[in-house]
């Protein structure tokens, strides 16, 4: 039993099922991020938790109380919307205390709660202004103040940062994380930004096509993605997925990968169970940061493979240089140090940390190893 | 806004500009001519009009025709002037405008934010009210008013105008609320506001521009209505328009044109005032939602 239980929740519009048997149990104080591309059902799921959309089948419980059919205002939740949804005709102070007023909280208590929330978010000078006179970041704070003041069991965030410019987004991301650490509240947060998901969450649910593809800590999601969708959705640049063939050489399983000129290179697996796949096609997942030059290779790794290949494109990004080459007929990106001596058209010896490599079944797209 | 309009304004030379203004001034004069005739003739003695000087400025200025039109002219059989009928109109127009506007706002709110099955079909049916010719409903409406015991009363007229006006006001408010962010309604729901609290506290305070459109539209239409007033009003509930007709059409005695002119201006004055006071919001409200920003 968790603090917030989503049990077999399904959502259908007529005959079209948009959310399929979702099972998530959130513990008290957890920061759960629902992440996925547009139309994956993450916002629908959040609205179901909020009670803004009803549940076709299954159950949603908060603190062991069944919430199916319970009005949004009676679930003791608060929500921060993408557009902030501040009431344009009210001042900031009125916006923040509107919920308390509707719940019949007496005025002195409202004033006190307003003061505390305003102090916490540092918006005291803004309380008499109308939302129209605020900047994006200020509106964001007011929207969070409106949620905070209710002292809810669960905070729901619906893409709260996507309307901010890039720099402010990073600042507010840190603010939200600080707030969570300070207050220890339970948060469900929807985003399509995988970096937000990684940085904020204690656990991530990666969603696609109405299914939860994988539920786990950010590290689990990143290091052992359940399938190719999760592998390529999380991480930037995306994980390289390379067609390869498994072979046994000297008793060890190897991945045979075609280089730019058609010749093959053998990359030894760290995982012994790959022997079962000998002679079969697989998809090899390698993150860009695990392909480097020899000097930058991970010294703790017990399995560094080398391959010499032609560089197609280099993209210096200041801190790193991204290098594109062709492996297995696909463009593969390597993340090199910015001072690496790489030139387009030249041959270069890359070091691949095969400890971190992941093998996928090309038919089911699921992870085989590790 | 102003910057954008400067950028998009068509640049023209001085000569062209002068020509444009000249034409505009001519048109303005042409359209102001009836008002000129009415005002000028309402403040001169009758002999100056019958003497053939209709376009002339008054030689003797007098407010006598205004006083007569307002308080002592013969309307039908009574020498009451237009004043009792003016108040009849006010008593009919104010509630009719208020009720139809609030109902339209409620309809718009429900049709956009509390969607239900077949709501678009219902909206389509409500819109029909905008297209039904007045004449078609005269006889059934008379029957209905009789059944409800409202025949010949001011409240009967209010009902008729509300029923007719709701189609338009619903159209205005529905289109206005269609672009009103639904997330605000959801936020208010989570905050614990009920159906009417959301309406009064969130939606209506943000409806200024469209409310002005609705009020002007309804006020003008109901104030200017003649057919319903002539058909359904009793002797003591006749509106201004019907009384004006009775004043002008009187078939006995001398035709006092100066009094007629004064009466006509009196009848038109309220709608003129509404336009002058709220006119600039009218255009703004009509444009609301159609242009971003």
């Amino acid at each position: 039993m968790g603090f917030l239980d989503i049990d077999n929740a399904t959502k259908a519009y007529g005959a079209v099922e948009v959310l399929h048997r979702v099972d998530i149990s959130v513990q008290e104080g957890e920061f759960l991020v629902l992440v996925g591309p547009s139309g994956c059902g993450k916002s629908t799921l959040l609205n179901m938790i909020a009670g803004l959309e009803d549940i076709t089948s299954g159950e949603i419980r908060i603190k062991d109380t069944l919430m199916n059919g319970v009005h949004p205002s009676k679930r003791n939740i608060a929500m921060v919307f993408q557009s902030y949804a501040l009431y344009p005709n009210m001042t900031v102070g009125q916006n923040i205390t509107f919920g308390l007023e509707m719940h019949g909280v007496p005025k002195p208590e409202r004033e006190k709660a307003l003061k505390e929330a305003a102090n916490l978010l540092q918006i005291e000078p803004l309380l008499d202004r109308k939302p129209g006179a605020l900047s994006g970041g200020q509106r964001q704070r007011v929207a969070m103040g409106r949620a905070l003041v209710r002292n809810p069991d669960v905070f729901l965030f619906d893409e709260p940062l996507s309307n901010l410019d890039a720099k402010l987004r990073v600042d507010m991301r840190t603010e939200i994380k600080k707030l969570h650490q300070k207050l220890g509240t339970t948060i469900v947060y929807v985003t399509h930004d995988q970096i937000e998901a990684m940085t904020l969450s204690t656990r991530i649910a990666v969603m696609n096509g109405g299914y939860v593809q994988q539920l786990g800590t950010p590290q689990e999601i990143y290091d052992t993605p359940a399938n190719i969708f999760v592998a390529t959705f999380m991480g930037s640049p995306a994980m390289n997925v390379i067609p390869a063939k498994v072979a046994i050489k000297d008793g060890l399983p190897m991945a045979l990968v075609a280089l730019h000129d058609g010749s093959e290179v053998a990359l030894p697996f760290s995982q012994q169970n790959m022997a079962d796949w000998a002679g079969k096609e697989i998809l090899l997942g390698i993150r860009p940061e695990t392909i480097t030059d020899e000097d930058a290779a991970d010294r703790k790794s017990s399995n560094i493979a080398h391959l010499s290949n032609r560089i197609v494109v280099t993209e210096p990004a200041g801190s790193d240089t991204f290098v594109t080459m062709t492996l297995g007929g696909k463009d593969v990106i390597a993340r090199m140090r910015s001072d690496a001596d790489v030139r387009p058209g030249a041959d270069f010896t890359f070091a691949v940390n095969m400890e971190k490599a992941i093998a996928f079944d090309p038919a089911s797209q699921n992870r085989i190893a590790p | 806004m102003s910057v954008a309009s400067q950028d998009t304004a068509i640049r023209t030379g001085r000569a062209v500009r002068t020509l444009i203004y000249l034409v505009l001034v001519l048109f303005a004069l042409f359209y102001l001519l009836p008002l000129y005739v009415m005002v000028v003739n309402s403040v001169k003695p009758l002999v100056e009009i019958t003497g053939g000087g209709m376009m002339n400025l008054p030689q003797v200025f007098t407010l006598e025709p205004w006083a007569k039109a307002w308080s002592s002219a013969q309307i039908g059989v009574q020498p009451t002037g237009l004043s009792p009928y003016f108040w009849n109109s006010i008593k009919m127009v104010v509630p009719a405008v208020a009720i139809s506007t609030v109902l339209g706002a409620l309809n718009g709110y429900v049709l956009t934010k509390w969607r239900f099955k077949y709501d678009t079909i219902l909206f389509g049916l409500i819109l029909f009210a905008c297209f039904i010719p007045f004449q078609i409903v005269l006889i059934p409406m008379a029957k209905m008013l009789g059944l409800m015991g409202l025949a010949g009363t001011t409240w009967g007229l209010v009902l008729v105008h509300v029923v007719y006006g709701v189609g338009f006001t619903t159209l205005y408010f529905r289109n206005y609320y269609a672009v009103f962010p639904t997330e605000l309604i959801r936020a208010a729901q989570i905050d614990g506001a009920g159906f009417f609290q959301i309406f009064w506290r969130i939606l209506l305070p943000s409806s200024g521009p469209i409310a002005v459109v609705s009020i002007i539209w309804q006020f003008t239409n109901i104030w200017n209505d003649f057919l319903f007033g002539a058909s359904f009003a009793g002797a003591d509930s006749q509106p201004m328009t019907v009384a004006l007709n009775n004043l002008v059409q009187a078939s006995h005695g001398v035709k006092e044109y100066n009094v007629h002119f004064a009466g006509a201006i009196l009848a038109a004055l309220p709608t003129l005032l509404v336009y002058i006071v709220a006119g600039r919001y009218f255009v703004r409200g009509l444009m609301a939602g159609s242009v971003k920003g």
Side-chain angles (χ1 to χ4, degrees):
Chain A
M1 280 300 101
F3 190 76
L4 162 68
D5 284 306
I6 302 161
D7 203 354
N8 247 328
T10 300
K11 177 75 187 174
Y13 296 105
V16 187
E17 205 172 279
V18 294
L19 213 57
H20 318 276
R21 306 174 76 81
V22 174
D23 267 312
I24 300 173
S25 179
V26 185
Q27 301 304 320
E28 184 161 13
E30 232 187 317
F31 198 130
L32 175 74
V33 172
L34 307 175
V35 66
S38 303
C40 71
K42 56 190 192 297
S43 284
T44 306
L45 182 58
L46 193 78
N47 285 338
M48 283 158 71
I49 299 172
L52 296 169
E53 298 208 31
D54 47 48
I55 305 164
T56 308
S57 70
E59 289 184 354
I60 287 178
R61 290 185 301 276
I62 297 175
K63 282 181 158 177
D64 273 340
T65 311
L66 186 64
M67 286 296 156
N68 295 29
V70 174
H71 191 269
S73 65
K74 304 213 163 64
R75 298 186 177 207
N76 202 17
I77 48 143
M79 191 153 167
V80 177
F81 293 88
Q82 182 174 5
S83 66
Y84 318 133
L86 301 179
Y87 311 125
N89 53 308
M90 300 182 199
T91 65
V92 167
Q94 287 166 334
N95 259 286
I96 293 176
T97 53
F98 184 71
L100 295 177
E101 189 190 336
M102 289 296 116
H103 280 81
V105 176
K107 190 151 190 194
E109 280 179 48
R110 298 208 300 260
E111 295 294 328
K112 191 165 160 274
L114 171 63
K115 232 176 164 175
E116 281 171 16
N119 181 33
L120 188 66
L121 293 164
Q122 293 156 11
I123 49 173
E124 284 132 322
L126 309 177
L127 293 183
D128 292 325
R129 289 208 212 157
K130 292 271 176 72
L134 303 180
S135 69
Q138 289 169 332
R139 285 179 209 192
Q140 174 66 56
R141 281 166 192 276
V142 175
M144 294 208 303
R146 190 168 64 181
L148 276 175
V149 80
R150 298 268 313 278
N151 194 20
D153 290 333
V154 183
F155 282 94
L156 306 174
F157 286 85
D158 189 6
E159 308 220 12
L161 303 183
S162 55
N163 281 358
L164 299 176
D165 60 61
K167 181 171 164 10
L168 203 52
R169 195 178 308 162
V170 175
D171 293 346
M172 287 309 290
R173 199 169 74 196
T174 317
E175 291 278 316
I176 292 177
K177 185 141 192 175
K178 271 190 206 159
L179 212 59
H180 176 247
Q181 284 170 355
K182 196 165 178 180
L183 302 174
T185 45
T186 312
I187 295 179
V188 181
Y189 185 109
V190 162
T191 181
H192 62 263
D193 180 347
Q194 48 91 16
I195 295 178
E196 259 175 49
M198 291 294 291
T199 50
L200 285 172
S201 67
T202 57
R203 269 200 306 164
I204 300 177
V206 184
M207 298 181 66
N208 190 33
Y211 288 96
V212 174
Q213 303 284 339
Q214 190 174 3
L215 176 64
T217 65
Q219 207 58 53
E220 282 167 8
I221 299 273
Y222 194 75
D223 288 344
T224 51
N227 52 41
I228 289 184
F229 174 79
V230 177
T232 51
F233 189 77
M234 304 300 289
S236 176
M239 180 186 269
N240 300 302
V241 178
I242 310 158
K245 197 171 182 178
V246 180
I248 308 289
K249 269 192 189 164
D250 307 329
L252 290 172
M254 303 270 180
L256 300 181
V257 178
L259 295 173
H260 73 99
D261 55 4
S263 62
E264 280 187 337
V265 64
L267 304 170
F269 280 108
S270 286
Q271 297 87 21
Q272 292 305 316
N273 65 339
M274 287 313 296
D276 302 344
W277 284 76
K280 292 183 189 155
E281 303 282 337
I282 60 153
L283 292 171
L284 186 64
I286 300 177
R287 294 225 176 257
E289 67 269 22
T290 61
I291 310 176
T292 57
D293 54 60
E294 178 59 44
D295 294 341
D298 188 349
R299 281 171 220 296
K300 289 184 197 149
S301 174
S302 58
N303 186 4
I304 301 282
H306 295 92
L307 61 87
S308 184
N309 204 4
R310 183 150 301 163
I311 293 168
V312 181
V313 178
T314 63
E315 293 166 281
S319 55
D320 310 287
T321 296
F322 296 105
V323 175
T324 306
M325 64 183 125
T326 308
L327 273 182
K330 299 262 171 145
D331 277 351
V332 167
I333 294 177
R335 185 173 185 163
M336 319 285 277
R337 296 176 305 173
S338 54
D339 57 357
D341 179 27
V342 287
R343 282 183 315 277
D347 284 329
F348 191 83
T349 303
F350 295 92
V352 182
N353 182 0
M354 283 300 287
E355 237 182 33
K356 297 267 188 184
I358 295 162
F360 297 98
D361 179 347
S364 71
Q365 307 257 304
N366 289 332
R367 173 168 47 88
I368 313 161
Chain B
M1 231 14 225
S2 59
V3 177
S5 56
Q6 269 174 7
D7 286 341
T8 52
I10 299 164
R11 283 167 212 282
T12 49
R14 182 169 289 226
V16 178
R17 191 155 282 258
T18 313
L19 189 71
I20 288 174
Y21 277 113
L22 200 69
V23 171
L24 285 175
V25 167
L26 279 176
F27 270 106
L29 285 177
F30 181 72
Y31 281 104
L32 282 171
L33 208 54
L35 184 67
Y36 165 79
V37 170
M38 284 175 74
V39 173
V40 163
N41 287 302
S42 72
V43 292
K44 60 170 91 153
L46 187 58
V47 282
E48 282 187 37
I49 305 176
T50 47
M54 208 167 91
M55 298 303 289
N56 300 341
L57 287 166
Q59 279 149 2
V60 182
F61 178 86
T62 171
L63 285 175
E64 183 70 13
W66 283 72
K68 196 169 181 194
W70 179 250
S71 57
S72 65
Q74 193 82 16
I75 312 286
V77 291
Q78 301 290 333
T80 57
L82 289 169
S83 66
Y85 304 97
F86 182 85
W87 297 117
N88 279 349
S89 270
I90 294 284
K91 277 186 262 176
M92 168 187 78
V93 169
V94 171
V97 169
I99 295 171
S100 60
T101 299
V102 170
L103 278 181
L106 261 177
N107 282 348
Y109 171 45
V110 171
L111 287 171
T112 52
K113 305 303 174 198
W114 298 80
R115 307 287 301 270
F116 49 90
K117 219 175 177 186
Y118 305 125
D119 56 357
T120 47
I121 294 177
L122 182 72
F123 176 57
L125 290 176
I126 292 176
L127 276 192
F128 264 121
C130 305
F131 305 118
I132 300 173
F134 281 16
Q135 294 81 349
I136 285 182
V137 300
L138 282 182
I139 293 168
M141 186 62 87
K143 177 85 180 159
M144 289 301 296
L145 289 174
L147 284 176
M148 287 186 282
L150 290 172
T153 66
T154 299
W155 285 107
L157 283 175
V158 169
L159 177 72
V160 174
H161 285 300
V162 166
V163 168
Y164 245 101
V166 149
F168 285 99
T169 55
T170 301
L171 171 68
Y172 293 146
F173 280 97
R174 196 210 80 107
N175 289 350
Y176 188 74
Y177 291 154
V179 293
F180 191 85
T182 304
E183 281 195 346
L184 278 172
I185 309 295
R186 295 187 147 189
Q189 275 182 284
I190 290 178
D191 271 343
F195 179 86
F196 283 105
Q197 278 171 323
I198 294 176
F199 183 61
W200 288 114
R201 299 284 303 272
I202 313 289
L203 219 49
L204 268 194
S206 311
S207 309
I210 204 66
V212 170
V213 170
S214 175
I215 287 170
I216 291 186
W217 176 265
Q218 284 296 90
F219 190 96
T220 321
N221 273 353
I222 300 174
W223 185 275
N224 287 338
D225 165 69
F226 177 77
L227 186 62
F228 286 155
S231 310
F232 302 132
D236 54 358
S237 62
Q238 279 178 346
M240 191 77 167
T241 44
V242 177
L244 181 66
N245 176 62
N246 291 349
L247 169 73
V248 176
Q249 299 291 339
S251 55
H252 49 80
V254 189
K255 289 244 181 216
E256 294 180 293
Y257 293 111
N258 51 353
V259 176
H260 297 176
F261 280 124
I265 296 175
L266 280 172
L269 220 46
T271 46
L272 265 178
L273 274 180
V274 167
Y275 265 106
I276 290 166
V277 172
R280 62 201 176 102
Y281 298 105
F282 187 70
V283 179
R284 210 181 289 171
L286 279 182
M287 297 290 289
S290 59
V291 189
K292 210 182 162 199

